[in-house]
C-alpha cells in the first residue's frame, strides 16, 4: 500500500520558541497515537529545522524551499545540503506561494528538484491551478504541464522519491475547499498522468496529497476518496488540536 501522509506547512508563522512548543506537542501526541498507516510531517521555517529535528522522534521534518545552487555566494539562500544536515527528510517545492510571489518557474524548480534529490531529500512537489484556469476549464492542462515540466525529466528511481501535492490555488487560505469530488477527479487525473509517463505500478505507488483549506471538519470526507492519500495542511497545522484531528481522520480511514 502506498504511503499516507499528513504534512503541515507552517509557512512564515511561529517564532522559534513557539515553533518548538508546537512541534513538541505534535510529536508527543503523535507518539501516543502511534499511527500505523500515516506518516506525519511538519514543514517549518528554516530557522526551526535543526531544533525541531532534535526533538522529533515520531514525526518527520520538512523544509519549505531550498536553493537552486549547491553552495557559494548566494546571500540569503539555504541549500539542500544544509537542510539535510539539519536532519530533514523532506522539502516542499513548487508551492503556489513560491511560484506566484517569488517567481518560481518550471526551470527554477527543475534545479531545486535536482539539488534536493542529490542531497537525499524526498520532495513534496506542489501543483495546482488558479481560479481563472479552473473557470476556463484549463485546470487539467495546467496541472499536467506542471508535472511534465517540473518532474517528468526524472528517471523512475528519482520519481519514486516524489510526493505530489495537489493544491488548487483558489482553495489555499480561503476557507473554500475543493469538494471531495473535485479533489478525487484531479487526483485520479494526476495518477493517470503519472501512469502515462512511469507506468501503472509507479503511479499506484505515488502518494498524492490534497492541500487547500483542509481542516478538522472536512478532512474525513476528503480522505475517504480513493486517490486522496493525505493532506498538506496550512492554517490548521498551526494548532495541535486541529492538526491531530486531521491526522486521526487519515489514520482511521
Ligand atoms: P491552507 O490549509 O491554510 O489553506 O494552506 C494550504 C497550503 O498552502 C499548504 O501548503
Amino acid at each position: 500500500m502506498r504511503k499516507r501522509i499528513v504534512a503541515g506547512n507552517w509557512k512564515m508563522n511561529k517564532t522559534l520558541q513557539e515553533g518548538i512548543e508546537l512541534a513538541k506537542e505534535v510529536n508527543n501526541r503523535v507518539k501516543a497515537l502511534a499511527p500505523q498507516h500515516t506518516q506525519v510531517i511538519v514543514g517549518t521555517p528554516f530557522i526551526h529545522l535543526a531544533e525541531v529535528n532534535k526533538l522529533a522522534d515520531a514525526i518527520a521534518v520538512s523544509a519549505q524551499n531550498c536553493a537552486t545552487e549547491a553552495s557559494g555566494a548566494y546571500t540569503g539562500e539555504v541549500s539542500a545540503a544544509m537542510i539535510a544536515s539539519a536532519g530533514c527528510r523532506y522539502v516542499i517545492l513548487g508551492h503556489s506561494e513560491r511560484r506566484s510571489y517569488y517567481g518560481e518557474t518550471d526551470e527554477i524548480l527543475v534545479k531545486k528538484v535536482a539539488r534536493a534529490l542529490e542531497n537525499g531529500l524526498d520532495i513534496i512537489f506542489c501543483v495546482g491551478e488558479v481560479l481563472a484556469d479552473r473557470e476556463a476549464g484549463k485546470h487539467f492542462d495546467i496541472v499536467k504541464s506542471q508535472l511534465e515540466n517540473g518532474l517528468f525529466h526524472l528517471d523512475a528511481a528519482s520519481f519514486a522519491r516524489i510526493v505530489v501535492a495537489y493544491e488548487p490555488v483558489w482553495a489555499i487560505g480561503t476557507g473554500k475547499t475543493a469538494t471531495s469530488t473535485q479533489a478525487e477527479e484531479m487526483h485520479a487525473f494526476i495518477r493517470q498522468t503519472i501512469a502515462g509517463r512511469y507506468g501503472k505500478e509507479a503511479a499506484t505507488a505515488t502518494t498524492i496529497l490534497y492541500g487547500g483549506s483542509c481542516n478538522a471538519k472536512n478532512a474525513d470526507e476528503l480522505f475517504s476518496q480513493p486517490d486522496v492519500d493525505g493532506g498538506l495542511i496550512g492554517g490548521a497545522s498551526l494548532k495541535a488540536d486541529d492538526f491531530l484531528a486531521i491526522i486521526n481522520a487519515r489514520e482511521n480511514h
Side-chain angles (χ1 to χ4, degrees), residues 7-11 92 95-97 126 165 167 171-176 210-215 232-237:
N9 175 7
W10 293 2
K11 309 191 179 183
I92 298 167
H95 193 280
S96 71
E97 287 148 19
C126 305
E167 299 207 306
I172 296 177
T174 58
K176 188 178 184 310
Y210 169 79
S213 299
C214 181
N215 59 36
L232 181 56
I233 318 299
S237 73

Side-chain angles (χ1 to χ4, degrees), residues 70-171:
S71 67
Y74 301 100
T75 302
E77 289 294 278
V78 175
S79 72
M82 294 171 191
I83 293 164
S85 75
C88 287
R89 241 185 83 194
Y90 291 93
V91 60
I92 298 167
L93 292 177
H95 193 280
S96 71
E97 287 148 19
R98 301 289 324 166
R99 290 179 192 261
S100 68
Y101 303 151
Y102 302 100
E104 288 196 2
T105 59
D106 293 332
E107 291 72 27
I108 288 173
L109 288 170
V110 165
K111 289 192 191 171
K112 293 188 175 197
V113 164
R115 296 298 88 73
L117 293 174
E118 282 160 16
N119 286 283
L121 297 171
D122 290 349
I123 298 167
I124 300 171
F125 190 87
C126 305
V127 297
E129 80 287 354
V130 298
L131 186 60
D133 292 328
R134 179 163 281 266
E135 285 174 348
K138 291 196 287 197
H139 43 299
F140 293 116
D141 290 345
I142 295 288
V143 167
K144 185 165 188 234
S145 94
Q146 289 169 335
L147 292 169
E148 286 174 348
N149 297 334
L151 295 175
F152 282 6
H153 61 287
L154 296 174
D155 63 22
S158 295
F159 188 80
R161 293 169 50 200
I162 306 291
V163 170
V164 176
Y166 170 57
E167 299 207 306
V169 180
W170 46 271

Side-chain angles (χ1 to χ4, degrees), residues 1-3 191 194-195 199-207 227 229:
M1 199 170 75
R2 61 182 166 260
K3 209 187 278 177
R191 204 176 298 288
I194 294 168
K200 197 162 188 302
E201 209 174 308
T204 304
T206 303
T207 297
D227 288 292
D229 303 316

Side-chain angles (χ1 to χ4, degrees), residues 232-246:
L232 181 56
I233 318 299
S237 73
L238 297 171
K239 291 197 186 120
D241 285 348
D242 290 357
F243 195 47
L244 262 292
I246 295 169

Side-chain angles (χ1 to χ4, degrees), residues 48-85:
H48 302 59
L49 292 177
E51 291 297 325
V52 171
N53 267 302
K54 275 187 221 157
L55 67 85
D57 59 4
I59 59 177
V61 184
S62 177
Q64 300 171 14
N65 182 27
C66 73
T68 54
E69 308 306 318
S71 67
Y74 301 100
T75 302
E77 289 294 278
V78 175
S79 72
M82 294 171 191
I83 293 164
S85 75

